Amino acid sequence: ETGVTQTPRHLVMGMTNKKSLKCEQHLGHNAMYWYKQSAKKPLELMFVYNFKEQTENNSVPSRFSPECPNSSHLFLHLHTLQPEDSALYLCASSQENWRQGPSGANVLTFGAGSRLTVL
Amino acid sequence: EDQVTQSPEALRLQEGESSSLNCSYTVSGLRGLFWYRQDPGKGPEFLFTLYSAGEEKEKERLKATLTKKESFLHITAPKPEDSATYLCAVQAGRGGGADGLTFGKGTHLIIQP
């Protein structure tokens, strides 16, 4: 496989459930990201990992918990979510995190997303 | 605070009818401006990066240009397969978003046969 793969593509969960989103990249990139995409809103950055280390947490509620066991895999653990958390969650990777590389290295490759519905 | 405003929000064109999408930005120290294309049910796909005013890049029927305040994505003789949402993002030299990328809301483009 090539590119960035996200699973599951669709997820429906209740407010008390615990679930996880998975992202895997086969590009040899060093930085990985979680974005939230809601209707009529710009993409919102949630988390950034660079060389497996979390470098940014963009004021995301604690009901979202990221995990990056290695530079190819990224998880987003979900628990006690709210209906307003329903959105498309996009994973992305880049060759280098922008703080370390030249501008050209920050081109993001996105996965297809996981469509989350919280009932 | 960095800001990106895209217009129009939606645009419907006939096949072959050329037009332009606008991306106005306010950023402290632009390092790069990015255009992405997003098809329904898919993640955004990278199109172009522009670094300095006056720069232009082309790919098939698309041409992106950059000034100090805005970028245009010109679509020449579009085809139905060009229908998508086009996203603009800026990378700040300092501050900005956590990864330096601030996105606009996008322009939803529909090309009718």
Side-chain angles (χ1 to χ4, degrees), chain A residues 9-29:
Chain A
R9 293 294 312 277
H10 300 274
L11 178 63
V12 179
M13 57 187 291
M15 293 170 61
T16 58
N17 291 159
K18 287 185 179 181
K19 297 285 185 183
S20 296
L21 307 181
K22 179 183 176 182
C23 176
E24 184 174 0
Q25 59 99 358
H26 305 272
L27 299 168
H29 288 168

PDB file of all heavy atoms in Angstrom, chain A residues 9-29:
ATOM      1  N   ARG A   9     -13.400   3.964   7.940  1.00  0.00           N
ATOM      2  CA  ARG A   9     -13.835   5.096   7.126  1.00  0.00           C
ATOM      3  C   ARG A   9     -15.082   5.745   7.713  1.00  0.00           C
ATOM      4  O   ARG A   9     -15.291   6.946   7.555  1.00  0.00           O
ATOM      5  CB  ARG A   9     -14.110   4.630   5.697  1.00  0.00           C
ATOM      6  CG  ARG A   9     -12.869   4.181   4.932  1.00  0.00           C
ATOM      7  CD  ARG A   9     -11.905   5.348   4.679  1.00  0.00           C
ATOM      8  NE  ARG A   9     -12.567   6.517   4.145  1.00  0.00           N
ATOM      9  CZ  ARG A   9     -12.861   6.695   2.865  1.00  0.00           C
ATOM     10  NH1 ARG A   9     -12.556   5.763   1.977  1.00  0.00           N
ATOM     11  NH2 ARG A   9     -13.463   7.813   2.472  1.00  0.00           N
ATOM     12  N   HIS A  10     -15.903   4.942   8.364  1.00  0.00           N
ATOM     13  CA  HIS A  10     -17.121   5.462   8.994  1.00  0.00           C
ATOM     14  C   HIS A  10     -17.240   4.862  10.390  1.00  0.00           C
ATOM     15  O   HIS A  10     -16.957   3.682  10.582  1.00  0.00           O
ATOM     16  CB  HIS A  10     -18.365   5.093   8.169  1.00  0.00           C
ATOM     17  CG  HIS A  10     -18.341   5.641   6.781  1.00  0.00           C
ATOM     18  ND1 HIS A  10     -18.780   6.911   6.463  1.00  0.00           N
ATOM     19  CD2 HIS A  10     -17.909   5.106   5.618  1.00  0.00           C
ATOM     20  CE1 HIS A  10     -18.633   7.127   5.168  1.00  0.00           C
ATOM     21  NE2 HIS A  10     -18.098   6.046   4.632  1.00  0.00           N
ATOM     22  N   LEU A  11     -17.680   5.688  11.332  1.00  0.00           N
ATOM     23  CA  LEU A  11     -17.830   5.231  12.708  1.00  0.00           C
ATOM     24  C   LEU A  11     -19.014   5.947  13.341  1.00  0.00           C
ATOM     25  O   LEU A  11     -19.111   7.178  13.270  1.00  0.00           O
ATOM     26  CB  LEU A  11     -16.555   5.522  13.496  1.00  0.00           C
ATOM     27  CG  LEU A  11     -16.553   5.150  14.975  1.00  0.00           C
ATOM     28  CD1 LEU A  11     -16.710   3.643  15.138  1.00  0.00           C
ATOM     29  CD2 LEU A  11     -15.260   5.614  15.644  1.00  0.00           C
ATOM     30  N   VAL A  12     -19.900   5.158  13.933  1.00  0.00           N
ATOM     31  CA  VAL A  12     -21.024   5.706  14.698  1.00  0.00           C
ATOM     32  C   VAL A  12     -20.852   5.243  16.143  1.00  0.00           C
ATOM     33  O   VAL A  12     -20.643   4.056  16.397  1.00  0.00           O
ATOM     34  CB  VAL A  12     -22.378   5.216  14.150  1.00  0.00           C
ATOM     35  CG1 VAL A  12     -23.520   5.792  14.983  1.00  0.00           C
ATOM     36  CG2 VAL A  12     -22.532   5.605  12.680  1.00  0.00           C
ATOM     37  N   MET A  13     -20.902   6.179  17.063  1.00  0.00           N
ATOM     38  CA  MET A  13     -20.718   5.806  18.462  1.00  0.00           C
ATOM     39  C   MET A  13     -21.623   6.621  19.372  1.00  0.00           C
ATOM     40  O   MET A  13     -22.005   7.757  19.041  1.00  0.00           O
ATOM     41  CB  MET A  13     -19.260   5.964  18.886  1.00  0.00           C
ATOM     42  CG  MET A  13     -18.672   7.345  18.710  1.00  0.00           C
ATOM     43  SD  MET A  13     -16.896   7.381  19.032  1.00  0.00           S
ATOM     44  CE  MET A  13     -16.833   7.111  20.812  1.00  0.00           C
ATOM     45  N   GLY A  14     -21.940   6.015  20.506  1.00  0.00           N
ATOM     46  CA  GLY A  14     -22.706   6.717  21.504  1.00  0.00           C
ATOM     47  C   GLY A  14     -21.793   7.561  22.369  1.00  0.00           C
ATOM     48  O   GLY A  14     -20.565   7.439  22.317  1.00  0.00           O
ATOM     49  N   MET A  15     -22.381   8.408  23.153  1.00  0.00           N
ATOM     50  CA  MET A  15     -21.596   9.351  23.942  1.00  0.00           C
ATOM     51  C   MET A  15     -20.763   8.663  25.018  1.00  0.00           C
ATOM     52  O   MET A  15     -19.779   9.220  25.498  1.00  0.00           O
ATOM     53  CB  MET A  15     -22.511  10.415  24.560  1.00  0.00           C
ATOM     54  CG  MET A  15     -23.140  11.326  23.514  1.00  0.00           C
ATOM     55  SD  MET A  15     -24.441  12.398  24.154  1.00  0.00           S
ATOM     56  CE  MET A  15     -23.572  13.348  25.352  1.00  0.00           C
ATOM     57  N   THR A  16     -21.141   7.434  25.394  1.00  0.00           N
ATOM     58  CA  THR A  16     -20.391   6.762  26.448  1.00  0.00           C
ATOM     59  C   THR A  16     -19.397   5.739  25.913  1.00  0.00           C
ATOM     60  O   THR A  16     -18.683   5.103  26.677  1.00  0.00           O
ATOM     61  CB  THR A  16     -21.353   6.059  27.413  1.00  0.00           C
ATOM     62  OG1 THR A  16     -22.145   5.122  26.671  1.00  0.00           O
ATOM     63  CG2 THR A  16     -22.267   7.060  28.104  1.00  0.00           C
ATOM     64  N   ASN A  17     -19.369   5.561  24.604  1.00  0.00           N
ATOM     65  CA  ASN A  17     -18.473   4.558  24.010  1.00  0.00           C
ATOM     66  C   ASN A  17     -17.019   5.011  24.029  1.00  0.00           C
ATOM     67  O   ASN A  17     -16.714   6.200  24.148  1.00  0.00           O
ATOM     68  CB  ASN A  17     -18.865   4.298  22.547  1.00  0.00           C
ATOM     69  CG  ASN A  17     -20.198   3.592  22.413  1.00  0.00           C
ATOM     70  OD1 ASN A  17     -20.817   3.650  21.365  1.00  0.00           O
ATOM     71  ND2 ASN A  17     -20.641   2.928  23.465  1.00  0.00           N
ATOM     72  N   LYS A  18     -16.132   4.019  23.861  1.00  0.00           N
ATOM     73  CA  LYS A  18     -14.717   4.281  23.622  1.00  0.00           C
ATOM     74  C   LYS A  18     -14.340   3.626  22.304  1.00  0.00           C
ATOM     75  O   LYS A  18     -14.581   2.439  22.105  1.00  0.00           O
ATOM     76  CB  LYS A  18     -13.852   3.674  24.730  1.00  0.00           C
ATOM     77  CG  LYS A  18     -13.915   4.381  26.056  1.00  0.00           C
ATOM     78  CD  LYS A  18     -12.913   3.765  27.026  1.00  0.00           C
ATOM     79  CE  LYS A  18     -12.936   4.479  28.358  1.00  0.00           C
ATOM     80  NZ  LYS A  18     -11.936   3.903  29.300  1.00  0.00           N
ATOM     81  N   LYS A  19     -13.747   4.399  21.424  1.00  0.00           N
ATOM     82  CA  LYS A  19     -13.325   3.886  20.125  1.00  0.00           C
ATOM     83  C   LYS A  19     -11.997   4.539  19.754  1.00  0.00           C
ATOM     84  O   LYS A  19     -11.564   5.504  20.386  1.00  0.00           O
ATOM     85  CB  LYS A  19     -14.362   4.212  19.036  1.00  0.00           C
ATOM     86  CG  LYS A  19     -15.728   3.584  19.247  1.00  0.00           C
ATOM     87  CD  LYS A  19     -15.700   2.108  18.927  1.00  0.00           C
ATOM     88  CE  LYS A  19     -17.121   1.525  19.026  1.00  0.00           C
ATOM     89  NZ  LYS A  19     -17.126   0.051  18.779  1.00  0.00           N
ATOM     90  N   SER A  20     -11.388   4.004  18.695  1.00  0.00           N
ATOM     91  CA  SER A  20     -10.131   4.579  18.221  1.00  0.00           C
ATOM     92  C   SER A  20     -10.122   4.692  16.711  1.00  0.00           C
ATOM     93  O   SER A  20     -10.658   3.827  16.010  1.00  0.00           O
ATOM     94  CB  SER A  20      -8.943   3.705  18.653  1.00  0.00           C
ATOM     95  OG  SER A  20      -8.821   3.677  20.055  1.00  0.00           O
ATOM     96  N   LEU A  21      -9.504   5.744  16.226  1.00  0.00           N
ATOM     97  CA  LEU A  21      -9.231   5.911  14.801  1.00  0.00           C
ATOM     98  C   LEU A  21      -7.762   5.589  14.561  1.00  0.00           C
ATOM     99  O   LEU A  21      -6.908   5.920  15.381  1.00  0.00           O
ATOM    100  CB  LEU A  21      -9.525   7.348  14.356  1.00  0.00           C
ATOM    101  CG  LEU A  21     -10.898   7.902  14.683  1.00  0.00           C
ATOM    102  CD1 LEU A  21     -11.027   9.334  14.150  1.00  0.00           C
ATOM    103  CD2 LEU A  21     -11.992   7.015  14.117  1.00  0.00           C
ATOM    104  N   LYS A  22      -7.509   4.960  13.426  1.00  0.00           N
ATOM    105  CA  LYS A  22      -6.142   4.559  13.097  1.00  0.00           C
ATOM    106  C   LYS A  22      -5.677   5.197  11.799  1.00  0.00           C
ATOM    107  O   LYS A  22      -6.455   5.358  10.860  1.00  0.00           O
ATOM    108  CB  LYS A  22      -6.063   3.042  12.972  1.00  0.00           C
ATOM    109  CG  LYS A  22      -4.674   2.508  12.601  1.00  0.00           C
ATOM    110  CD  LYS A  22      -4.700   0.996  12.415  1.00  0.00           C
ATOM    111  CE  LYS A  22      -3.358   0.470  11.942  1.00  0.00           C
ATOM    112  NZ  LYS A  22      -3.385  -1.001  11.713  1.00  0.00           N
ATOM    113  N   CYS A  23      -4.413   5.551  11.771  1.00  0.00           N
ATOM    114  CA  CYS A  23      -3.807   6.133  10.570  1.00  0.00           C
ATOM    115  C   CYS A  23      -2.445   5.482  10.361  1.00  0.00           C
ATOM    116  O   CYS A  23      -1.675   5.309  11.311  1.00  0.00           O
ATOM    117  CB  CYS A  23      -3.651   7.636  10.731  1.00  0.00           C
ATOM    118  SG  CYS A  23      -2.801   8.443   9.348  1.00  0.00           S
ATOM    119  N   GLU A  24      -2.160   5.160   9.109  1.00  0.00           N
ATOM    120  CA  GLU A  24      -0.867   4.545   8.770  1.00  0.00           C
ATOM    121  C   GLU A  24      -0.337   5.197   7.496  1.00  0.00           C
ATOM    122  O   GLU A  24      -1.077   5.368   6.527  1.00  0.00           O
ATOM    123  CB  GLU A  24      -1.048   3.043   8.568  1.00  0.00           C
ATOM    124  CG  GLU A  24       0.235   2.279   8.310  1.00  0.00           C
ATOM    125  CD  GLU A  24       0.013   0.770   8.263  1.00  0.00           C
ATOM    126  OE1 GLU A  24      -1.142   0.333   8.435  1.00  0.00           O
ATOM    127  OE2 GLU A  24       1.000   0.046   8.052  1.00  0.00           O
ATOM    128  N   GLN A  25       0.937   5.570   7.512  1.00  0.00           N
ATOM    129  CA  GLN A  25       1.524   6.163   6.300  1.00  0.00           C
ATOM    130  C   GLN A  25       2.717   5.334   5.837  1.00  0.00           C
ATOM    131  O   GLN A  25       3.500   4.843   6.655  1.00  0.00           O
ATOM    132  CB  GLN A  25       1.900   7.630   6.530  1.00  0.00           C
ATOM    133  CG  GLN A  25       2.886   7.904   7.642  1.00  0.00           C
ATOM    134  CD  GLN A  25       4.310   8.095   7.174  1.00  0.00           C
ATOM    135  OE1 GLN A  25       4.613   7.992   5.985  1.00  0.00           O
ATOM    136  NE2 GLN A  25       5.211   8.385   8.108  1.00  0.00           N
ATOM    137  N   HIS A  26       2.796   5.188   4.514  1.00  0.00           N
ATOM    138  CA  HIS A  26       3.844   4.368   3.890  1.00  0.00           C
ATOM    139  C   HIS A  26       4.769   5.238   3.051  1.00  0.00           C
ATOM    140  O   HIS A  26       5.288   4.794   2.023  1.00  0.00           O
ATOM    141  CB  HIS A  26       3.181   3.301   3.011  1.00  0.00           C
ATOM    142  CG  HIS A  26       2.184   2.453   3.739  1.00  0.00           C
ATOM    143  ND1 HIS A  26       2.534   1.314   4.413  1.00  0.00           N
ATOM    144  CD2 HIS A  26       0.849   2.602   3.906  1.00  0.00           C
ATOM    145  CE1 HIS A  26       1.458   0.783   4.954  1.00  0.00           C
ATOM    146  NE2 HIS A  26       0.422   1.535   4.673  1.00  0.00           N
ATOM    147  N   LEU A  27       4.939   6.475   3.466  1.00  0.00           N
ATOM    148  CA  LEU A  27       5.699   7.437   2.671  1.00  0.00           C
ATOM    149  C   LEU A  27       7.072   7.742   3.256  1.00  0.00           C
ATOM    150  O   LEU A  27       7.816   8.517   2.675  1.00  0.00           O
ATOM    151  CB  LEU A  27       4.888   8.747   2.559  1.00  0.00           C
ATOM    152  CG  LEU A  27       3.524   8.583   1.876  1.00  0.00           C
ATOM    153  CD1 LEU A  27       2.674   9.838   2.075  1.00  0.00           C
ATOM    154  CD2 LEU A  27       3.697   8.290   0.396  1.00  0.00           C
ATOM    155  N   GLY A  28       7.368   7.170   4.415  1.00  0.00           N
ATOM    156  CA  GLY A  28       8.643   7.473   5.050  1.00  0.00           C
ATOM    157  C   GLY A  28       8.705   8.872   5.630  1.00  0.00           C
ATOM    158  O   GLY A  28       9.793   9.406   5.852  1.00  0.00           O
ATOM    159  N   HIS A  29       7.535   9.476   5.875  1.00  0.00           N
ATOM    160  CA  HIS A  29       7.497  10.817   6.443  1.00  0.00           C
ATOM    161  C   HIS A  29       7.801  10.810   7.940  1.00  0.00           C
ATOM    162  O   HIS A  29       7.632   9.786   8.615  1.00  0.00           O
ATOM    163  CB  HIS A  29       6.121  11.455   6.204  1.00  0.00           C
ATOM    164  CG  HIS A  29       5.890  11.841   4.789  1.00  0.00           C
ATOM    165  ND1 HIS A  29       4.639  12.213   4.315  1.00  0.00           N
ATOM    166  CD2 HIS A  29       6.735  11.945   3.728  1.00  0.00           C
ATOM    167  CE1 HIS A  29       4.741  12.522   3.030  1.00  0.00           C
ATOM    168  NE2 HIS A  29       6.000  12.363   2.661  1.00  0.00           N
TER     169      HIS A  29
END
